[in-house]
Amino acid sequence: MPRVTFTPDDVIVDVHSGENLLRAAMMADVQVTATCGGDGTCGKCRVIIEQGAADAIPSTRLSKEQLAEGSVLACLTHVTEDVVVRIPAQSRPGSVPSTHGRRAAAPLLSAEEHAARIPKHKSRPVASKYYLELPRPDLSDNADSVSRLKGALRREHRITTTAMSPEAIRQLPLALVQGEWKVTALVLEIHRATPLVIGVEPGDTTAHQHTVAVDVGTTSVEVALIDVTTDTVLAQLSEYNRQVLLGADVITRVIAGSSPAGLAQLQGLIAETITHLVNEVCDMAAVSPESVDAYVIAGNTVMTHLLFGISPASIRTEPYVPVTTQFPLVAAHDLGLPGSPVAMVVAIPCPASWLGGDIVAGVVAAGIPWTDRLTLFVDIGTNGEIVLANREWMIGCACSAGPAFEGAGILHGMRAADGAIEHVRIDDKTLEPAILTIGNVKPLGICGSGLIDCVSELFLTGALGRNGKFMPLAENSLRFREGERGPEFVLVDAQDSATGNAIVLTETDVESLMRAKAAIHAGIDVLAECVDVEIDQIEEVVVAGGFGHYLDLERAMVLGMLPELPLARFAFIGNSSLIGARRAATCGEMLKKAHDVSEMLTYVELSVNVGFMDLYMSSLFLPHTDLTRFPRSEALLSRRSGAMEAK
Ligand code: FES
């Protein structure tokens, strides 16, 4: 890991190779002015490389003299080796010294680290193609064509017992003629089911095998197009779930989906969302959508019901049961999804009404079914889903977090996409924000990780009280004003945003975030109490969610969203639902493990849990009413206020 030393504060941070230098400074809490989101246009993030070399994109914002002294724009520079970087006085908004001597890199697990958590399995993908050369029949060997094909699968690929779909049997005679008895069979292998031949094509088409993994979220949907032959993701894309037209939250969708007309409309909208994304990723990878042979879907229970056209009505009323936890194998075309004529849809099982296949997939992706370590898994989305588990036992719950973390319900919120502010630092004295956006482009809005950063930074500067209200100190800053919706903090001035309008954070936005974080923290407390575990006995915390590539876990602790534990115990794995769906698509053993997890999980229904509401109310402050549980946040708060007073 390259090491970055920032002077004159002598702050050190270890980062992943290729890390953006502005992000490295933000991770180290070194103040650098940055108003354009990392777009390279404001020219305010100039720093000087004093030792070592970094990968910098040349900028016309720098003079010849500045270039000669080693100046670069931090937002356009990537770190690949140890460097010493000086922050000139002009690039420091308020010059408050950093509160950290040293900080580790954001513990985002890499693909390799994910893979290392899961034992290697030689297991076939959910859908695979097999090339077969069939013996022609004659008078001495007059077995039927289906038996010949099954025999060839057994002999050449050791697939012993097989069934054939009616469509595959219909395709067989023409494929045999066109391929002159050389054909490719498409076989679906699902946990506990007989391998099923779902299609037959003439000749050898094994070079083209594509499966789509889908994470169906209430707010966002993300798909990954997988080349099954190489187990690689060819393209990946997300967008808002078009069902938001009928309501932003999951309860509204359940109500809408309780009538036949509403259910049909919601099914159509989710199919439309997935179809659009699949067409886009196929376009990006120069692959025909007709080459998609299978889908593996991981979604929450309501979304999975809606995609399959099953009424979710029973989920909303006591005793809160779904229609099914296991979903049938369905043809993609029957659900309105693109693909080959025989493409099938496989859904990860949903163990309970409010604990779905997305969480099961995430638990598998995090490697929890293979670990002895007591692990807390927290998936933060429209709902906060929490699992406390190891390989022996698993307990989980879900709490309504609201859509704040996905950027919805926030005045200038947006999902984690290009232009979303994902990282914020606010100068203690001047209250001037430095921002970094996804894609290093002009800011469009703020996503979940940016929101967490912004609120925790305002709290640490003293501009936001423990109750989530702006403090009198804020009134002295031009950054605070009275907006149409009450008091607001101007995060980006109109001239610096991509929309031409200021990007602001309102007190109502802060309230939404506080309700969401309180629900998650209280849910964690409930699970720990259920199994009589002290929070500090938790050996690992895996945080998942569609935050983009970055979530500052320490800031999430400052908010009181996550329990305060040593940072080394935390890992952020991004969209674990999609990772799990992808793994299940390319390895049958992973799909089997998903079924095992679904059966192992004990679900705790928070709406009838007597202690939940008390724990929730205690968490509705920054960071919590019980400050003894957050000593590090308290220390950080006093260090920053001490640093301000010393100025
Ligand atoms: Fe780097 Fe604006 S030029 S943040």
Side-chain angles (χ1 to χ4, degrees):
M1 265 189 172
R3 173 162 293 182
V4 187
T5 305
F6 290 100
T7 65
D9 295 337
D10 283 333
V11 174
I12 295 170
V13 63
D14 295 327
V15 298
H16 294 298
S17 183
E19 182 60 273
N20 181 287
L21 185 54
L22 180 57
R23 190 196 308 279
M26 289 175 155
M27 283 164 57
D29 283 339
V30 170
Q31 301 284 355
V32 177
T33 311
T35 57
C36 70
D39 185 37
T41 50
C42 74
K44 292 180 178 168
C45 65
R46 180 175 71 87
V47 298
I48 300 160
I49 308 286
E50 293 195 320
Q51 279 177 37
D55 197 358
I57 298 170
S59 168
T60 52
R61 307 285 310 186
L62 298 171
S63 67
K64 271 189 192 154
E65 294 72 30
Q66 288 171 334
L67 287 169
E69 67 176 352
S71 285
V72 294
L73 291 182
C75 68
L76 299 183
T77 302
H78 296 269
V79 180
T80 51
E81 60 176 78
D82 290 358
V83 280
V84 176
V85 178
R86 180 154 60 88
I87 316 291
Q90 304 90 315
S91 304
R92 298 165 66 91
S95 306
V96 173
S98 167
T99 50
H100 288 277
R102 177 152 170 201
R103 201 166 175 210
L108 175 64
L109 296 187
S110 65
E112 294 73 34
E113 286 167 326
H114 280 131
R117 288 166 159 245
I118 299 174
K120 291 265 175 280
H121 291 285
K122 279 204 165 179
S123 182
R124 290 195 259 248
V126 163
S128 304
K129 285 183 172 179
Y130 298 96
Y131 175 62
L132 304 166
E133 295 190 2
L134 272 55
R136 289 172 190 263
D138 56 32
L139 288 176
S140 62
D141 175 11
N142 59 358
D144 64 279
S145 301
V146 167
S147 301
R148 284 171 190 285
L149 185 125
K150 288 183 179 180
L153 276 171
R154 190 169 54 244
R155 275 193 312 278
E156 296 175 31
H157 300 285
R158 295 199 191 145
I159 300 177
T160 47
T161 319
T162 43
M164 276 187 84
S165 72
E167 186 56 32
I169 295 174
R170 282 186 207 111
Q171 289 179 339
L172 184 58
L174 190 59
L176 288 173
V177 171
Q178 289 181 341
E180 298 180 344
W181 295 83
K182 297 182 181 66
V183 295
T184 298
L186 175 61
V187 181
L188 208 61
E189 290 182 82
I190 309 288
H191 172 54
R192 289 184 194 152
T194 305
L196 178 67
V197 181
I198 58 171
V200 186
E201 295 168 343
D204 184 356
T205 62
T206 53
H208 307 286
Q209 301 189 45
H210 300 110
T211 293
V212 170
V214 189
D215 164 44
V216 189
T218 306
T219 305
S220 300
V221 178
E222 188 161 16
V223 308
L225 176 68
I226 304 159
D227 182 338
V228 176
T229 61
T230 56
D231 190 8
T232 51
V233 174
L234 299 177
Q236 191 167 321
L237 205 60
S238 71
E239 72 168 39
Y240 279 120
N241 184 338
R242 295 185 184 185
Q243 290 179 340
V244 292
L245 289 170
L246 297 190
D249 64 273
V250 72
I251 294 293
T252 314
R253 308 260 185 99
V254 172
I255 294 167
S258 299
S259 74
L263 179 59
Q265 201 178 355
L266 285 163
Q267 200 286 330
L269 287 166
I270 186 58
E272 193 182 302
T273 310
I274 298 173
T275 298
H276 177 251
L277 287 167
V278 170
N279 287 337
E280 289 286 309
V281 288
C282 285
D283 201 37
M284 288 157 71
V287 158
S288 164
E290 303 228 324
S291 72
V292 172
D293 297 318
Y295 286 82
V296 175
I297 307 268
N300 66 48
T301 311
V302 172
M303 289 303 119
T304 312
H305 273 62
L306 293 174
L307 174 63
F308 279 73
I310 302 168
S311 169
S314 61
I315 291 175
R316 188 173 148 255
T317 50
E318 209 172 308
Y320 314 109
V321 290
V323 173
T324 181
T325 56
Q326 312 270 337
F327 293 84
L329 199 57
V330 177
H333 286 273
D334 287 349
L335 297 186
L337 304 180
S340 79
V342 296
M344 301 297 281
V345 178
V346 176
I348 305 282
C350 299
S353 284
W354 300 110
L355 216 50
D358 49 350
I359 302 311
V360 169
V363 166
V364 172
I368 297 173
W370 295 272
T371 186
D372 291 322
R373 293 156 67 84
L374 179 58
T375 305
L376 176 68
F377 173 85
V378 188
D379 188 319
I380 301 163
T382 308
N383 272 348
E385 283 112 344
I386 305 157
V387 174
L388 188 59
N390 60 25
R391 67 197 301 171
E392 302 279 333
W393 54 267
M394 297 185 178
I395 185 168
C397 68
C399 45
S400 176
F405 292 120
E406 299 194 47
I410 298 296
L411 184 59
H412 290 139
M414 64 179 284
R415 67 197 173 83
D418 280 358
I421 299 167
E422 66 165 350
H423 206 359
V424 179
R425 286 292 177 267
I426 297 175
D427 184 74
D428 293 307
K429 185 152 198 304
T430 63
L431 298 180
E432 280 303 304
I435 57 159
L436 190 62
T437 62
I438 297 176
N440 288 56
V441 292
K442 273 189 181 291
L444 272 169
I446 183 163
C447 67
S449 55
L451 190 64
I452 288 169
D453 262 16
C454 189
V455 173
S456 59
E457 280 289 295
L458 285 170
F459 174 56
L460 288 174
T461 60
L464 194 66
R466 290 192 190 280
N467 59 357
K469 301 288 178 206
F470 294 134
M471 298 291 279
L473 146 82
E475 289 163 14
N476 301 327
S477 165
L478 290 176
R479 287 274 159 199
F480 289 86
R481 66 188 189 190
E482 195 62 26
E484 279 177 22
R485 293 172 176 79
E488 60 188 27
F489 171 68
V490 181
L491 186 56
V492 179
D493 290 319
Q495 72 267 17
D496 292 323
S497 84
T499 59
N501 297 314
I503 297 172
V504 304
L505 180 85
T506 66
E507 269 190 356
T508 312
D509 295 337
V510 178
E511 267 173 40
S512 301
L513 182 69
M514 285 180 62
R515 280 198 300 271
K517 76 95 187 172
I520 288 167
H521 193 270
I524 294 170
D525 280 349
V526 166
L527 288 191
E529 281 185 12
C530 281
V531 289
D532 202 15
V533 158
E534 296 295 329
I535 292 292
D536 61 10
Q537 287 178 276
I538 295 170
E539 295 167 276
E540 184 162 39
V541 183
V542 179
V543 183
F547 289 102
H549 12 72
Y550 186 81
L551 171 66
D552 191 323
L553 294 165
E554 198 167 39
R555 289 297 185 270
M557 278 187 262
V558 166
L559 274 190
M561 181 172 95
L562 296 173
E564 203 173 87
L565 290 167
L567 201 55
R569 292 191 203 174
F570 285 82
F572 172 56
I573 64 170
N575 187 345
S576 63
S577 169
L578 189 69
I579 297 168
R582 188 209 145 177
R583 293 208 173 280
T586 54
C587 175
E589 180 60 26
M590 296 296 133
L591 188 60
K592 174 184 176 305
K593 205 47 103 173
H595 281 264
D596 292 347
V597 167
S598 176
E599 284 164 13
M600 269 176 86
L601 254 169
T602 302
Y603 177 61
V604 178
E605 176 58 59
L606 290 182
S607 63
V608 294
N609 185 283
V610 284
F612 176 73
M613 193 44 77
D614 285 347
L615 292 165
Y616 171 75
M617 295 307 288
S618 301
S619 303
L620 265 181
F621 290 85
L622 295 172
H624 195 272
T625 46
D626 182 0
L627 297 179
T628 60
R629 297 181 63 179
F630 291 86
R632 219 168 53 236
S633 300
E634 283 303 291
L636 188 56
L637 193 57
S638 20
R639 274 208 304 275
R640 279 182 67 153
S641 48
M644 272 193 291
E645 279 159 20
K647 281 192 62 144

